[in-house]
Amino acid sequence: MLSVKFKNMKKKILFIISFLLISQVIFSQKPKKLSSYQIYEKIQKLNFLGTVLYVAAHPDDENTRLISYLSNHMKARTGYLSLTRGDGGQNLIGTEIREVLGVIRTQELLAARKIDGGEQFFSRANDFGYSKHPDETLKIWEKEKVLNDVVWTIRTFKPDIIINRFDHRTPGTTHGHHTSSAMLSIEAFDLVGDKTKFTDQLQFTDTWQPKRLFFNTSSWFYKNEDEFKNATEGKLTSFDIGVYYPLKGMSNNEVAALASSQHLSQGFGRLTTRGSQKEYLEFLKGDKPKDINDIFAGINTTWNRLKHGGEIGKILYDIEKNFDFVNPAKHLKDLLLAHQKIQVLEDSYWRDIKQKQITEIIEACAGLYLEASSSASSGVPNSTIELDMEVINRNSEFSVFLESITFKTDKIVTFVKDQLLQNNTKYLFKQSISLDNLKYTDPYWLQSKSSLGMYHVDNQLLIGVPTTPRNVNVYFDLIINQFKISIKKNIVFRYSRKDKGELYEPFEILPIVTTKINEKVLLFSDDKSRKISVGVRAGINNLKGKLYLDAPKGWEIYPKFEMVSIEQSGDIQMYDFIIKPTELDSQGILRAMVLVDDKQYQKELVEVNYNHIPKLSILLDSEAKIVRLNIKKAGNNVGYIKGAGDLIPQSLEQIGYRVETINPKNINTENLRQFDAIVLGIRAYNTIPELKFKQKYLLEYVNNGGNLLVQYNTSRGGVDVGAPYPLNLSRDRVTDENATVKILEKDHTVINFPNKITQKDFEGWVQERGLYFPNTWSSEYTPILSMNDKGETLKKGSLLIAPYGKGNYIYTGLSFFRELPAGVIGAYKLFANILSIGKENVEKVTK
């Protein structure tokens, strides 16, 4: 009977642990509250003094299985250096792209690291899109700057071991960013210990020399399993990363799958996996381990690694060996003694790391609850905010004395409390603090103008940091059992919603006023004036100012300004302006700005809120592209079936189309009949399972005289795009947005009606020409364009048109989803022509 009860209790405990791990992701904003099992794992990591750095190019490149194994099984301090933030990717969960997508993917990486136990770093490299060769990548990235950042990360993180995700010896066989990450890591390995290299860094850090460098190889990098085995026989370190963690109630592979599933914007949500699985490392450089299956062989990872570390280890190893899961507070006295000894270690690197780790453990063992919350989610510079501090000592074994609370902003202010914390008694303190001279907390790498390949960051100490450090910190200065300890907390905004419960948001410092031009591209197809709306958001109460629009020469704005008066902070008011375009074709930037007390504010606040990451507050220039173009179209009603998410519908509305979004469930003969054309969003067949059942209706629509435009889908898994004739997708792409485009069918209606398409219409494209072009197709299709990247064969599959019955099936890999939101005039003209095919003698041409 006792055995059964114990087993049932064990199952419940493991379930709770698993739930806590998963819910920590779902509610990633909430402060961590450690269970006794998590405390024990923290102690295990406290007692391991070894560091590994994993290096790759993008978010989602990392091998979460290996990072989790190194962190959770070996207990090593494990970091992931992603050279970019993934700004050039696509977005499966929303319409955000470029800089805002990069911020989302940064947070997805941090969410993954919370699960697999790693730490996260970046360089200043900008993900400018797919690159076919490292020569191109390193030219656009400005190689020396990114190499500088890799060296900086190694010198500050000080890894004993570096592991590359990609092979440096195979340029041109995969994404140029991938190979470049490995090449830069190889080069940095030989530079980090040289005092004559990147000397500006040495005022902030010291040189460092990792012991060894590996390549995380697998059969994926070879043609088949046999070739992999033949090429690597006797050369590899291998280990089983499918190990089971009883304390977590999960295997390493399950933890890793949860971590990688945080990359939701890239469609990485997946099932967890279990069971034995091998991971392989190929030794590349440094001191080769004598034990081929122990990457730390010969490296001292114990407390004896440090001068006077042995006496700390003696205390902490005993705690680990005899840890009391029922009453972790039992170990507080020894933990506090070890904390005191760690504070005086000579090695500043390990002193800072271990002091942070042990402080977190002490807080958890003592059962302390410490929180500083604001009544609002943001404040403005040079203002005063009210904070609520909650302090509870939930453990009765030791006396805890709150000596003071210290606030660090641009200055340090300490408020003496001298309060003995009675057991499980809540103490609430209110305090006003000043936000004098503080900078905004938006992403630091977006605060200056970037180039195509690099973000501009002047502050050396910020380079590589995942997010902008909080510039308001609260320190609870405590005395526990006669030992002084200070615990740092960030300010949070805590609130509840009836449908979600308790929620947390980071506290941000934002401008007193921000503006937003609702439409990011304003297209004028004639010289008629047009009304536009500008939203003004107040960051303070009783905001008063003047709102202006600044337009390029030749464009007229009425009125010249609007007086702004908003009583309540957080409120948004809309203001209307009339814009009269130039008579001739032109384009430029329209900027919104508010003048308050002779100071100009011209930022837009972009707020992003997804469940798997914290709420994001991003400041961008408040502007829109304005374009005067003479564009014609035939047909008016467009049905749009959403795929992975893009802004094509809004873009089409800009040039006068009426766009209706079609729910895939409602696709039938009657519902489709009303449309002049139907457009499928990017990756629709990759993301909408119902389409394979609805394809007969779409083809029937074409057969009856409609135009069906299918935008690009990925070729993975042999996806069927429902084409009426054979069509084979490939991975062909043209990444150079300036690559020469040849018009193969100059007499085809799509080139001539209702807009004449010329070579000039392919100027000013952004990021790429297109991707996932078909490489074979039947004779029913007519290829319209050809293009290629330097040194490659011509690609003719970017735009294929096939008559089917009375209508036309069109497949395109051209990146309209990037070009239309960017206001590329030629892309609009070509898109309008595609939708107008077959309407030369049927529809009235409109502007």
Side-chain angles (χ1 to χ4, degrees):
M1 188 70 174
L2 183 63
S3 176
V4 172
K5 285 184 178 180
F6 177 77
K7 287 180 179 178
N8 289 336
M9 182 180 72
K10 184 177 179 182
K11 285 181 180 179
K12 288 180 181 179
I13 291 171
L14 292 178
F15 171 78
I16 291 168
I17 294 168
S18 299
F19 173 78
L20 288 172
L21 184 60
I22 295 168
S23 62
Q24 186 180 24
V25 180
I26 297 172
F27 303 104
S28 57
Q29 305 93 320
K30 288 190 175 183
K32 288 187 294 185
K33 301 178 181 71
L34 301 180
S35 68
S36 61
Y37 294 90
Q38 291 168 320
I39 294 171
Y40 177 69
E41 289 180 319
K42 295 281 185 184
I43 291 171
Q44 288 180 309
K45 289 188 178 184
L46 180 66
N47 281 336
F48 190 92
L49 280 71
T51 307
V52 183
L53 180 66
Y54 197 85
V55 180
H58 309 106
D60 75 39
D61 280 346
E62 81 273 27
N63 183 343
T64 55
R65 297 182 306 275
L66 185 54
I67 290 175
S68 177
Y69 181 87
L70 293 167
S71 176
N72 295 304
H73 181 73
M74 300 188 75
K75 311 303 179 186
R77 185 186 184 209
T78 307
Y80 173 43
L81 170 58
S82 175
L83 294 191
T84 76
R85 296 175 185 267
D87 327 71
Q90 288 117 49
N91 186 358
L92 291 183
I93 59 174
T95 58
E96 301 90 353
I97 57 174
R98 289 304 309 158
E99 291 88 354
V100 178
L101 177 59
V103 180
I104 291 171
R105 296 188 71 183
T106 294
Q107 289 296 335
E108 288 181 336
L109 274 175
L110 291 173
R113 298 294 81 77
K114 280 186 178 181
I115 296 171
D116 62 31
E119 299 177 47
Q120 188 60 53
F121 304 96
F122 296 93
S123 81
R124 290 170 292 175
N126 191 340
D127 180 4
F128 57 84
Y130 193 88
S131 176
K132 293 181 177 178
H133 200 280
D135 288 349
E136 178 197 39
T137 299
L138 295 173
K139 181 179 179 182
I140 295 175
W141 274 355
E142 302 174 61
K143 177 190 172 184
E144 282 302 301
K145 290 183 179 179
V146 185
L147 179 60
N148 184 312
D149 294 355
V150 177
V151 169
W152 167 255
T153 302
I154 296 171
R155 283 176 172 175
T156 53
F157 189 62
K158 301 190 185 307
D160 299 302
I161 295 164
I162 297 175
I163 301 174
N164 291 345
R165 181 70 180 108
F166 299 104
D167 193 345
H168 65 288
R169 298 159 295 197
T170 55
T173 62
T174 183
H175 198 323
H177 296 183
H178 291 169
T179 312
S180 294
S181 70
M183 293 169 65
L184 291 168
S185 177
I186 288 281
E187 189 169 349
F189 186 88
D190 294 328
L191 296 177
V192 290
D194 189 340
K195 289 187 176 182
T196 67
K197 305 298 182 184
F198 303 110
T199 55
D200 290 349
Q201 299 178 1
L202 298 180
Q203 59 182 309
F204 305 107
T205 190
D206 298 319
T207 57
W208 177 255
Q209 187 54 59
K211 295 292 190 297
R212 50 194 66 134
L213 174 65
F214 294 93
F215 162 43
N216 183 196
T217 189
S218 72
S219 58
W220 187 86
F221 294 95
Y222 294 82
K223 292 180 181 178
N224 52 55
E225 192 73 33
D226 288 338
E227 184 178 313
F228 169 59
K229 289 180 179 178
N230 292 334
T232 59
E233 189 70 35
K235 299 179 181 178
L236 302 181
T237 295
S238 68
F239 27 78
D240 184 356
I241 48 86
V243 294
Y244 176 68
Y245 302 127
L247 292 181
K248 297 181 184 294
M250 288 189 288
S251 69
N252 184 73
N253 284 339
E254 288 175 291
V255 175
L258 285 172
S260 64
S261 287
Q262 300 315 298
H263 297 294
L264 295 181
S265 69
Q266 306 307 296
F268 269 53
R270 60 189 60 184
L271 292 170
T272 57
T273 59
R274 286 152 291 280
S276 178
Q277 186 175 354
K278 287 283 189 180
E279 201 66 52
Y280 300 93
L281 299 182
E282 178 186 351
F283 175 79
L284 297 178
K285 278 194 171 191
D287 175 22
K288 191 171 184 177
K290 293 181 180 179
D291 181 350
I292 195 170
N293 292 317
D294 179 5
I295 60 173
F296 278 102
I299 300 173
N300 189 347
T301 59
T302 71
W303 278 101
N304 289 322
R305 178 174 189 160
L306 307 178
K307 185 178 180 181
H308 303 305
E311 54 193 84
I312 299 172
K314 186 177 180 180
I315 299 168
L316 295 178
Y317 292 136
D318 186 65
I319 294 175
E320 180 181 345
K321 182 180 178 181
N322 299 291
F323 186 73
D324 190 330
F325 288 89
V326 176
N327 181 27
K330 169 184 173 182
H331 306 291
L332 262 178
K333 182 177 179 181
D334 288 336
L335 286 167
L336 288 163
L337 178 60
H339 178 274
Q340 189 177 48
K341 291 180 178 294
I342 288 171
Q343 284 183 308
V344 295
L345 283 172
E346 293 181 15
D347 188 315
S348 60
Y349 169 76
W350 284 113
R351 181 183 67 228
D352 293 345
I353 292 168
K354 295 305 175 182
Q355 187 171 332
K356 182 179 178 181
Q357 289 177 346
I358 199 169
T359 298
E360 184 183 16
I361 293 168
I362 289 169
E363 179 187 356
C365 286
L368 292 170
Y369 186 86
L370 308 170
E371 183 178 272
S373 61
S374 169
S375 59
S377 62
S378 64
V380 301
N382 304 312
S383 67
T384 299
I385 61 169
E386 297 292 327
L387 294 182
D388 292 310
M389 272 72 66
E390 181 178 342
V391 182
I392 308 178
N393 169 22
R394 295 180 290 187
N395 194 300
S396 60
E397 292 201 17
F398 289 92
S399 65
V400 180
F401 188 78
L402 177 63
E403 191 174 32
S404 58
I405 300 177
T406 299
F407 300 90
K408 291 187 179 179
T409 55
D410 70 321
K411 54 188 176 182
I412 299 175
V413 180
T414 298
F415 296 92
V416 176
K417 297 300 178 184
D418 287 340
Q419 176 69 58
L420 179 65
L421 303 180
Q422 301 293 336
N423 176 242
N424 213 27
T425 300
K426 182 191 295 186
Y427 295 87
L428 300 175
F429 305 96
K430 285 188 177 292
Q431 191 65 56
S432 297
I433 65 167
S434 174
L435 304 180
D436 293 345
N437 306 315
L438 296 185
K439 295 182 179 179
Y440 303 141
T441 52
D442 61 310
Y444 68 88
W445 64 95
L446 299 181
Q447 292 173 1
S448 299
K449 206 74 175 175
S450 63
S451 67
L452 174 63
M454 291 294 293
Y455 285 112
H456 183 77
V457 181
D458 283 329
N459 186 342
Q460 180 68 50
L461 294 177
L462 284 179
I463 292 174
V465 177
T467 60
T468 303
R470 301 291 94 176
N471 48 18
V472 183
N473 294 304
V474 181
Y475 291 81
F476 293 88
D477 307 314
L478 304 165
I479 301 175
I480 304 176
N481 201 35
Q482 300 184 355
F483 287 94
K484 286 193 173 187
I485 187 168
S486 187
I487 298 177
K488 173 184 171 183
K489 295 292 178 181
N490 292 325
I491 295 173
V492 296
F493 172 53
R494 182 166 65 101
Y495 64 104
S496 67
R497 276 178 45 178
K498 290 182 178 179
D499 59 336
K500 290 189 176 181
E502 184 180 57
L503 298 171
Y504 282 79
E505 292 179 10
F507 178 78
E508 307 284 5
I509 298 178
L510 301 170
I512 64 170
V513 60
T514 54
T515 59
K516 180 181 181 180
I517 303 173
N518 285 340
E519 297 169 290
K520 293 309 171 190
V521 177
L522 296 160
L523 298 174
F524 294 78
S525 56
D526 53 36
D527 61 358
K528 293 180 181 178
S529 298
R530 177 174 164 187
K531 183 176 76 173
I532 71 156
S533 296
V534 180
V536 178
R537 179 189 182 277
I540 57 172
N541 293 330
N542 301 314
L543 174 75
K544 296 186 183 301
K546 285 184 178 181
L547 171 64
Y548 295 84
L549 288 182
D550 178 42
K553 185 177 180 181
W555 295 72
E556 299 179 24
I557 307 288
Y558 305 98
K560 294 203 176 289
F561 63 85
E562 286 277 11
M563 296 301 299
V564 173
S565 179
I566 304 177
E567 292 185 5
Q568 184 67 42
S569 174
D571 279 357
I572 299 173
Q573 288 189 12
M574 303 303 297
Y575 298 87
D576 293 333
F577 290 84
I578 302 297
I579 299 183
K580 182 174 176 56
T582 57
E583 293 184 5
L584 301 176
D585 286 3
S586 70
Q587 56 183 302
I589 300 298
L590 179 71
R591 295 181 173 86
M593 58 195 72
V594 177
L595 197 65
V596 179
D597 296 331
D598 296 324
K599 185 175 180 180
Q600 188 171 283
Y601 296 87
Q602 51 186 36
K603 289 292 184 181
E604 174 187 347
L605 173 62
V606 178
E607 293 183 314
V608 180
N609 211 345
Y610 291 110
N611 286 337
H612 66 303
I613 57 175
K615 180 183 176 183
L616 306 176
S617 298
I618 305 164
L619 295 175
L620 302 176
D621 291 335
S622 183
E623 60 186 32
K625 186 174 184 178
I626 50 176
V627 180
R628 167 72 170 94
L629 73 160
N630 183 22
I631 191 169
K632 303 172 184 177
K633 59 188 179 64
N636 226 13
N637 299 321
V638 175
Y640 200 83
I641 301 171
K642 287 184 178 179
D646 56 49
L647 296 171
I648 297 289
Q650 297 91 318
S651 300
L652 294 180
E653 289 171 347
Q654 286 271 346
I655 55 176
Y657 283 104
R658 289 196 294 270
V659 183
E660 180 179 326
T661 300
I662 303 172
N663 186 326
K665 295 179 181 178
N666 298 330
I667 295 175
N668 58 50
T669 301
E670 186 60 33
N671 288 343
L672 300 183
R673 189 173 292 153
Q674 62 182 301
F675 299 112
D676 297 306
I678 294 173
V679 179
L680 272 71
I682 59 173
R683 300 175 70 171
Y685 289 97
N686 297 131
T687 58
I688 307 174
E690 297 100 316
L691 280 182
K692 63 183 176 182
F693 305 113
K694 299 291 186 176
Q695 192 61 30
K696 60 183 179 181
Y697 298 113
L698 293 172
L699 290 181
E700 180 186 17
Y701 165 80
V702 178
N703 190 53
N704 291 335
N707 285 339
L708 177 66
L709 172 58
V710 179
Q711 297 185 86
Y712 97 91
N713 288 264
T714 63
S715 59
R716 295 185 184 94
V719 63
D720 180 5
V721 294
Y725 311 112
L727 179 73
N728 182 61
L729 299 187
S730 73
R731 296 180 67 83
D732 286 353
R733 63 201 303 162
V734 176
T735 61
D736 182 359
E737 62 270 29
N738 299 309
T740 300
V741 176
K742 294 180 181 179
I743 300 173
L744 300 175
E745 297 291 331
K746 294 183 179 180
D747 295 329
H748 197 285
T749 181
V750 78
I751 298 300
N752 297 282
F753 176 82
N755 305 285
K756 180 68 176 177
I757 303 298
T758 68
Q759 213 65 45
K760 186 175 177 61
D761 292 306
F762 295 98
E763 295 176 3
W765 285 48
V766 298
Q767 188 159 326
E768 62 195 354
R769 290 293 189 198
L771 61 171
Y772 291 98
F773 298 162
N775 60 358
T776 60
W777 51 85
S778 66
S779 60
E780 286 85 359
Y781 296 95
T782 300
I784 304 299
L785 308 170
S786 73
M787 58 192 72
N788 63 285
D789 283 320
K790 184 179 178 181
E792 295 193 354
T793 58
L794 286 174
K795 307 292 186 291
K796 297 182 180 181
S798 64
L799 178 58
L800 301 174
I801 300 173
Y804 181 70
K806 298 177 183 178
N808 295 277
Y809 176 93
I810 305 106
Y811 187 91
T812 182
L814 293 171
S815 59
F816 287 115
F817 72 102
R818 297 194 191 280
E819 311 313 320
L820 268 57
V824 178
I825 295 175
Y828 273 95
K829 291 170 64 178
L830 181 56
F831 206 96
N833 281 16
I834 292 172
L835 300 182
S836 302
I837 295 173
K839 296 179 172 57
E840 297 91 326
N841 302 314
V842 180
E843 296 283 351
K844 179 182 177 182
V845 175
T846 60
K847 289 185 176 181

